[in-house]
């Protein structure tokens, strides 16, 4: 386990793409401290900002308020990063595997365009969670994101595959232009959920305000959702029995697009 | 050398078993009743490849299913790798998809895969959709009841078919009781099924006939009514013979089922237990009765 403790607070962004288990693997403390980071427009080293302890194995622990530290774990493929504090933008962006756990809040674009792995955020997440960068054709493509708090706008936008679970509220345009995958929202959706979605599934446990381009289908018990909710339980997420075996209203949409997406609303009646 | 178990002679011979391809399908439903309805229909008329093109049976209840509902495990066997998807398509399409509330999942981790859900999805006529859950793909096929959920791929592996033993009794009642006891005991063994009705066969066959249009005919050497007409294999005092046929995902399961079944069948009134074979010339597996009983056999 390698432990990094932030010892300098700054308002300038620190781009720390070097903080991944692969880049730390097999390196000594001195070598890790010498890895490059970008402070504003200045090339610096990890050791300029962090106190490094540990043995260079694949597990990484970060301590401190890292709200201005960007790209933590970006592109990682294996291992685990645990953050005791907040994390900055692009946390776990484009990761392929491994696990990131944040005991705090994260900035925008966490898990953007990820293709595998797991991200757990115990606090709130910013905009574009699991989404697509501007100009990209699709966002998250496999993997799992769990957020204990709320998320910003465009959660899961242009999502291609994978699962996003948000215990709190998601912002506006949740699942906008989704291509596939599943977003589960327990605390309520912002405005215009699923706008422009072609395929994919939005599940919500609060009454949403839907666009008129979503059409009501039926009340039913979706079998695939049982699988997903049971899988969530295996991942340690608490899901009540009545939600697993419950009724859901199905709305198809968005008919401004292909219309093969769906919004499932838990039906308490 | 003679082996006696509870006074029943176990003949020093072997069952000759064959290579098959097998898979395990887990059927879940709203309750146990509907899971068993689907499983029973799916495995109906699947006793022997000779007349049914496949052999299938219910392995048992499954407690921990993917969707958390009551489940039943079904094993399915065909002689060739190519036949397995054909037969499964027919059976799952006609008996599981049609059955209210069911879903269908892979129950076998194996390197070889066959695409059933991936083919059956076309029934959705373009309205089908899929979900990838934990690396496994599931197809959602819209049906009048709601949705039929089926896993895209099932595992399949080389398996064993045609394990068997014959119970030779003094009368039909005691022979049936012995085989019923054997079947009950064998149900505890996982990885194998008994494809015949109630797990028991009364019309065992030999692989030839005086008629050119038949590939199999009655096993005359074990027919009590023909004792005086043919070269009979029946000892004196035997008036009824029943057979138990075993298919398994591997030879170990077939051997264990053979062991458990024979031990349970050794009751008063049974004169001998033997096995069917072709002199070891056709089958790839020899299940030696004395060997599988081993030291577990009480004297």
């Amino acid at each position: 386990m390698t432990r990094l403790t932030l010892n300098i607070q700054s308002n300038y962004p620190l781009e720390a793409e070097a903080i991944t288990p692969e880049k730390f693997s097999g390196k000594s403390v001195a070598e890790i401290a010498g890895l490059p980071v970008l402070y504003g427009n200045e090339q610096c080293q990890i050791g300029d900002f962090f106190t490094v302890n540990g043995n260079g194995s694949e597990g990484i622990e970060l301590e401190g308020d890292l709200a201005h530290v960007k790209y933590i774990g970006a592109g990682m493929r294996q291992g685990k990063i645990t953050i005791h504090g907040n994390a900055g933008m692009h946390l776990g962006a484009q990761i392929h595997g491994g696990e990131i756990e944040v005991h705090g809040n994260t900035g925008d674009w966490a898990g953007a365009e990820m293709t595998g792995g797991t991200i757990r955020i115990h606090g709130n997440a910013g905009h574009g969670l699991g989404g697509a960068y501007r100009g990209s054709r699709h966002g998250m493509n496999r993997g799992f994101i769990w957020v204990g708090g709320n998320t910003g706008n465009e959660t899961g936008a242009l999502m291609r595959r994978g699962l996003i679970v948000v215990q709190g509220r998601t912002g506006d345009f949740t699942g906008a232009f989704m291509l596939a995958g599943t977003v589960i929202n327990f605390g309520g959706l912002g405005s215009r959920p699923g706008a422009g979605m072609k395929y994919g599934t939005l599940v919500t446990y609060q009454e949403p305000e839907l666009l008129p381009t979503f059409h009501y289908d039926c009340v039913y018990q979706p079998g695939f959702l049982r699988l997903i909710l049971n899988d969530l339980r295996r991942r340690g997420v608490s899901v009540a029995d009545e939600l697993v075996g419950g009724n859901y209203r199905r709305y198809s949409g968005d008919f401004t697009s292909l219309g093969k997406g769906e919004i499932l609303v838990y039906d308490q009646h | 050398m003679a082996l006696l178990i509870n006074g029943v002679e176990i003949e020093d011979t072997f069952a000759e078993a064959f290579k098959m391809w097998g898979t395990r399908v887990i059927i879940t439903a709203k309750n146990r009743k509907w899971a068993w309805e689907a499983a029973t229909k799916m495995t109906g008329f699947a006793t022997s490849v000779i007349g049914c093109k496949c052999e299938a049976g219910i392995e048992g209840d499954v407690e921990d299913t993917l969707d958390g509902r009551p489940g039943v495990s079904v094993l399915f066997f065909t002689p060739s790798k190519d036949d397995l998807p054909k037969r499964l398509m027919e059976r799952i399409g006609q008996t599981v998809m049609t059955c209210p509330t069911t879903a269908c999942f892979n129950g076998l981790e194996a390197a070889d895969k066959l695409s059933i859900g991936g083919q059956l999805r076309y029934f959705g006529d373009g309205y089908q959709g899929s979900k990838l859950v934990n690396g496994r793909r599931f197809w959602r096929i819209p049906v009048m009841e709601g949705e039929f959920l089926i896993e895209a791929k099932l595992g399949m592996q080389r398996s064993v078919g045609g394990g068997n033993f014959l119970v030779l009794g003094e009368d039909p009642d005691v022979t049936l009781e012995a085989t019923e006891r054997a079947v009950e005991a064998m149900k505890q063994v996982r990885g194998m099924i008994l494809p015949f009705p109630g797990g028991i066969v009364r019309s065992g066959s030999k692989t030839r006939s005086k008629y050119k249009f038949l590939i199999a005919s009655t096993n005359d050497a074990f027919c009590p009514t023909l004792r005086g007409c043919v070269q009979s294999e029946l000892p004196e005092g035997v008036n009824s013979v029943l057979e138990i046929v075993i298919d398994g995902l591997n030879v170990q399961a077939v051997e264990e089922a053979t062991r458990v079944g024979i031990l349970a069948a050794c009751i008063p009134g049974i004169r001998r237990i033997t096995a069917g074979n072709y002199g070891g010339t056709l089958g790839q597996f020899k299940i030696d009765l004395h060997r599988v009983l081993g030291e577990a056999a009480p004297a």
Side-chain angles (χ1 to χ4, degrees), chain A residues 181-182 201 230-231 260 262, chain B residues 66-68 126 131 134 140 147:
Chain A
T182 306
T201 304
N230 277 322
D231 186 49
K260 291 192 173 180
E262 64 187 347
Chain B
L66 275 181
D67 62 6
K131 281 290 172 195
N134 224 355
R140 302 165 57 192
E147 259 179 10

Side-chain angles (χ1 to χ4, degrees), chain B residues 165-169 172-186 194 198-201 240-244 261 264-267 270 273:
Chain B
F165 62 90
L166 286 76
V167 179
L168 285 57
D173 286 344
V174 75
T175 313
L176 183 60
E177 184 188 344
T179 46
E180 284 177 339
R181 288 187 182 203
V183 168
E184 280 307 306
M186 295 163 83
L194 312 174
I200 303 167
V201 190
S240 182
V241 178
L242 290 174
E243 181 178 1
I244 292 180
C266 291
I267 62 173
I270 299 302
I273 290 179

Side-chain angles (χ1 to χ4, degrees), chain A residues 142 161-162 180-182 199-201 220 222-228 230-231 234-235 244 250 260 262 264, chain B residues 30 64-69 105 125-135 137-138 140 145-147 149:
Chain A
R142 289 191 172 88
R161 290 189 187 90
T182 306
Y199 295 95
T201 304
Y220 82 131
F224 80 95
L225 195 56
R226 286 175 174 275
L227 297 190
I228 292 176
N230 277 322
D231 186 49
R234 292 185 191 102
R235 292 173 185 268
V244 176
R250 185 181 195 270
K260 291 192 173 180
E262 64 187 347
L264 301 176
Chain B
K30 177 182 181 180
D64 186 22
T65 60
L66 275 181
D67 62 6
R69 301 190 302 169
F105 305 113
D125 202 25
Y127 296 101
Q128 69 273 18
S130 74
K131 281 290 172 195
L132 199 61
V133 181
N134 224 355
R137 182 168 297 285
F138 302 88
R140 302 165 57 192
E145 180 208 42
E147 259 179 10
L149 187 71

Side-chain angles (χ1 to χ4, degrees), chain B residues 252-281:
Chain B
Q252 290 80 10
V254 176
E255 289 185 347
E256 175 62 8
T258 303
R259 186 187 72 82
V260 168
I262 289 176
L263 289 176
C266 291
I267 62 173
I270 299 302
R271 293 290 182 92
R272 179 185 289 175
I273 290 179
T274 185
N277 63 61
Y278 312 97
T281 56

Side-chain angles (χ1 to χ4, degrees), chain A residues 1-2 16-27 32 35 56-62 71-82 92 95 97-100:
Chain A
M1 179 70 70
T2 305
E17 289 171 89
I19 303 179
T20 68
E22 291 97 324
K23 289 172 183 167
F24 281 21
S25 180
K27 289 189 171 61
I32 291 170
L35 288 171
S57 64
E58 287 189 352
I60 299 174
E61 285 206 9
L62 295 162
Y71 294 104
I72 297 170
M76 67 186 267
R77 293 181 177 274
Q78 60 191 31
K80 182 171 181 180
I81 298 176
T82 306
I95 65 169
E99 183 177 351
I100 301 176

Side-chain angles (χ1 to χ4, degrees), chain B residues 268-295:
Chain B
I270 299 302
R271 293 290 182 92
R272 179 185 289 175
I273 290 179
T274 185
N277 63 61
Y278 312 97
T281 56
L282 293 179
Q284 292 79 23
F285 303 96
K286 290 181 184 177
I287 298 164
D288 188 285
L289 300 189
H290 284 193
R291 178 177 58 79
V292 299
L293 286 164
E295 295 175 0

